[in-house]
Amino acid sequence: MDRIEHHASFGGTQSVYQHASQVLGCDMKVAVFVPDHEEGARLPVLYWLSGLTCTEQNFITKAGAQRYAAEHGVILVAPDTSPRGEGVADDEAYDLGQGAGFYLNATQKPWAQHFQMEDYITKELPALIEATFPASDKRSIMGHSMGGHGALTLALRHPGFYLAVSAFSPIVAPTQVPWGEKAFSAYLGDDREAWKAHDATALLASAEERLPILIDQGDADDFLAGQLKPEIFEAEAKRVGHPLTLRMQEGHDHSYYFIASFIGDHIAHHAKALKA
C-alpha cells in the first residue's frame, strides 16, 4: 500500500493509501485512522461505507470520527465507494457507475469486470488491513445512505464476520425504491427475485444471527419518503424479531452535519461489541 496522505489526529494518524486491487482490477484508495496504542497491540477495526458520489475523503474530513475512535482504541477504515479509473465502466448519472458501487458483486456487462465491491469489502480489503496495520480480526461495519445499505446487507449476508452493525439514513429496501431499482437493474439484471439477496429488509427473515442494529434517520431528510423508507425495515424487523434501534432525529437532514452529530454514539455502539 502506498501512503499518499498523512496527518496527526487526536494522538493517532489519519492516512490515505492507494493500492492495486486484484478483485476490482484497478487502483483503489482507502483511508485508515490508527489511534495511539501500545507497542504490539492489535486493535479492532470499524469499517465505514460512504454514500452515493462520495470518496474516502468525505467521512474523514466531515464526520469528526477520529476523536471517538481514539477514545475507544478502534481503527477506522473508509474505502472509496466504487472502482474508478480509465477503462472502468461509468454512467453520466450520479447514482450509477463510478461513485455508486452499491457494495455488491455485479453480474451484468459492462459492470461485472470491475464492480465486485462485496468481495472487495469482505475479502480483499480486510486481509490487506489485517496484514498491514496493527489490526485484529475483530471487525464491525457502519455506513451512510448507499453505504448504510452496504453495511446492513454485508453484515446480514456474512454472519460471524462482523461483531456490530449500524447505519445513518440507510437505503433499507432498495428493491422498492428508485435508487435501488436503477442500480440493481444495471448491476444484477432484470430478475427481481435475485435482487432480494441484496435487500436488507428481505434478508432479515433468513438472518442466521441477530446482531443488534442501530439506525439513525433524520426526519428532515429530503430522501426519507422516496428513497429510504425506514418504516418498511422497522416493520419487518418487528415481524421476525430482529433487534433494532431506529432513532428518528428531529430536524436532521441527509448531510454530514447529521452524521457528525451522532457519530460518537455509533462508535460507542461498535466499541462495546468489539471489546466485549
Side-chain angles (χ1 to χ4, degrees), residues 229-243:
K229 300 182 181 295
E231 68 279 359
I232 295 176
F233 189 76
E234 183 178 36
E236 181 64 4
K238 183 177 181 179
R239 186 185 75 82
V240 302
H242 197 107

Side-chain angles (χ1 to χ4, degrees), residues 59-75:
F59 179 70
I60 64 173
T61 59
K62 296 179 179 180
Q66 293 89 347
R67 168 188 171 185
Y68 302 103
E71 289 178 3
H72 291 286
V74 173
I75 293 174

Side-chain angles (χ1 to χ4, degrees), residues 91-96 102 174 177-187 195:
D91 190 272
E92 293 182 356
Y94 76 94
D95 52 358
L96 188 66
F102 270 82
V177 299
W179 274 339
E181 290 175 330
K182 180 177 182 177
F184 286 8
S185 294
Y187 297 146
W195 297 2

Side-chain angles (χ1 to χ4, degrees), residues 22 45 57 174 183 268:
Q22 299 301 311
V45 184
Q57 290 292 322

Side-chain angles (χ1 to χ4, degrees), residues 112-264:
Q113 181 180 355
H114 295 286
F115 282 71
Q116 302 294 308
M117 286 297 290
E118 179 170 4
D119 281 354
Y120 176 69
I121 297 297
T122 62
K123 295 178 181 179
E124 186 178 36
L125 184 58
L128 189 60
I129 294 297
E130 289 162 27
T132 307
F133 300 95
S136 73
D137 60 358
K138 292 186 175 182
R139 315 169 199 91
S140 64
I141 191 165
M142 62 178 176
H144 171 232
S145 195
M146 176 186 73
H149 145 78
L152 294 173
T153 56
L154 295 182
L156 290 165
R157 284 172 57 81
H158 297 271
F161 195 72
Y162 301 106
L163 296 177
V165 59
S166 73
F168 291 86
S169 314
I171 306 170
V172 293
T175 62
Q176 302 180 54
V177 299
W179 274 339
E181 290 175 330
K182 180 177 182 177
F184 286 8
S185 294
Y187 297 146
L188 302 175
D190 295 330
D191 182 2
R192 297 182 73 96
E193 282 300 309
W195 297 2
K196 293 180 181 179
H198 301 280
D199 182 304
T201 300
L203 288 167
L204 282 176
S206 60
E208 295 180 17
E209 65 180 349
R210 290 290 190 258
L211 286 183
I213 297 172
L214 170 63
I215 293 177
D216 273 319
Q217 171 64 62
D219 69 0
D221 191 323
D222 289 341
F223 302 110
L224 178 58
Q227 301 280 12
L228 304 178
K229 300 182 181 295
E231 68 279 359
I232 295 176
F233 189 76
E234 183 178 36
E236 181 64 4
K238 183 177 181 179
R239 186 185 75 82
V240 302
H242 197 107
L244 168 67
T245 299
L246 171 62
R247 307 192 305 187
M248 298 299 298
Q249 302 292 2
E250 184 178 359
H252 283 276
D253 56 21
H254 202 71
S255 72
Y256 268 84
Y257 295 106
F258 166 50
I259 295 168
S261 297
F262 302 103
I263 192 66

